[in-house]
Amino acid sequence: MNMKPIAVFQHTEVGAPGSVIPILESLGMRCELIKVVDGQAVPERAGDYAGLVFMGGYMSVHDPLPWIAQECALIRHADLLDIPVAGHCLGSQLVAFAFGANVHKNVRSEIGWQEVVVEGGPVGLDWWGESEGSVIPAFQWHGDTFELPVGAQRIATGAHCANQAFVLRGMHLAMQSHFEMTPELVELSLERNGAQLEREYERGNPAVTSMEETRRNVPERTQAMAQILTQLYSRWVVNCKP
């Protein structure tokens, strides 16, 4: 069956899709990259796509940027058509916000390599392929966090940010972590925003890893995250529309 493409939304240069498109293509899906960062328009019709994926960015869902409201409207339209939506970092906050949940500052910025813990019982197992309490390595870079939309099931938590991932209606997936990172994207993040990491680390923020630790074993760590993301998307694409 010839599937419609999955739309992948890129909001900043640093917030590139990373491993997302190769993973989705490995699962038999076609992808269309929509570069909001370059001024590309947000589509009005979710029905033109098999699914929607929203990447990260430095902005807040509360910023007065026209594309934020447009993407939230598109997310709600996708839901009406039973088209699955996924979000990474800012993307997860957009998904939560579009479904009526509050998005606000986290108790502290979370940057670098942090662990998330699987929750949600059978639902969490269904998505992660891991049982309750399993520890998942993750790359983080965020200051905001989302509350859970009505009806959502939290499937991951963390020591420094309680709401790390949720699923909604069995098809929408929101991930606060940057599981999509590649070695190149980690390095680009540190080149562009490393001063923030170092400032937070020097302040004694326990949710921030040192520059040395953040650069340690990056190829192995990002490969492990790619395997995790492949598991998540293998479950997500089940709901993609032909």
Side-chain angles (χ1 to χ4, degrees), residues 3-224:
M3 296 285 288
K4 297 174 183 177
I6 291 172
V8 180
F9 294 80
Q10 180 178 349
H11 307 118
T12 66
E13 185 182 359
V14 175
S19 65
V20 168
I21 291 177
I23 286 171
L24 288 171
E25 289 178 343
S26 76
L27 295 170
M29 311 304 294
R30 290 190 301 120
C31 295
E32 178 183 321
L33 181 60
I34 297 175
K35 301 190 78 169
V36 177
V37 61
D38 291 339
Q40 190 170 348
V42 175
E44 295 181 1
R45 291 170 41 84
D48 293 335
Y49 300 98
L52 308 176
V53 176
F54 297 87
M55 303 310 303
Y58 59 81
M59 54 284 292
S60 164
V61 300
H62 302 292
D63 289 347
L65 299 167
W67 59 262
I68 290 178
Q70 292 162 3
E71 289 189 5
C72 286
L74 190 67
I75 290 167
R76 290 188 290 269
H77 187 218
D79 181 58
L80 288 173
L81 300 177
D82 291 331
I83 294 169
V85 173
H88 297 246
C89 199
L90 171 66
S92 70
Q93 296 160 15
L94 285 165
V95 173
F97 191 62
F99 288 123
N102 188 26
V103 175
H104 54 83
K105 288 294 182 186
N106 192 37
V107 64
R108 58 179 64 91
S109 295
E110 191 175 27
I111 304 173
W113 297 100
Q114 306 291 338
E115 296 177 339
V116 302
V117 180
V118 171
E119 284 192 342
V123 176
L125 175 62
D126 182 38
W127 283 85
W128 297 105
E130 301 281 350
S131 58
E132 187 95 4
S134 297
V135 175
I136 304 289
F139 190 83
Q140 306 275 8
W141 205 306
H142 67 101
D144 287 356
T145 186
F146 53 76
E147 299 299 322
L148 298 178
V150 174
Q153 171 72 61
R154 189 169 75 182
I155 60 168
T157 189
H160 305 293
C161 179
N163 293 332
Q164 288 286 347
F166 70 80
V167 293
L168 181 64
R169 294 195 255 293
M171 62 179 175
H172 306 311
L173 171 65
M175 301 161 279
Q176 183 60 71
S177 305
H178 286 284
F179 290 117
E180 78 279 3
M181 298 302 280
T182 62
E184 294 77 16
L185 280 182
V186 172
E187 191 55 38
L188 182 61
S189 297
L190 294 174
E191 288 175 6
R192 299 289 178 83
N193 304 310
Q196 180 193 10
L197 181 151
E198 292 184 311
R199 182 171 63 250
E200 289 289 330
Y201 183 75
E202 289 169 4
R203 287 175 178 169
N205 184 340
V208 178
T209 52
S210 68
M211 184 69 75
E212 180 182 13
E213 174 60 23
T214 305
R215 281 197 163 113
R216 185 176 66 83
N217 294 341
V218 169
E220 294 83 0
R221 285 167 145 175
T222 54
Q223 178 57 37

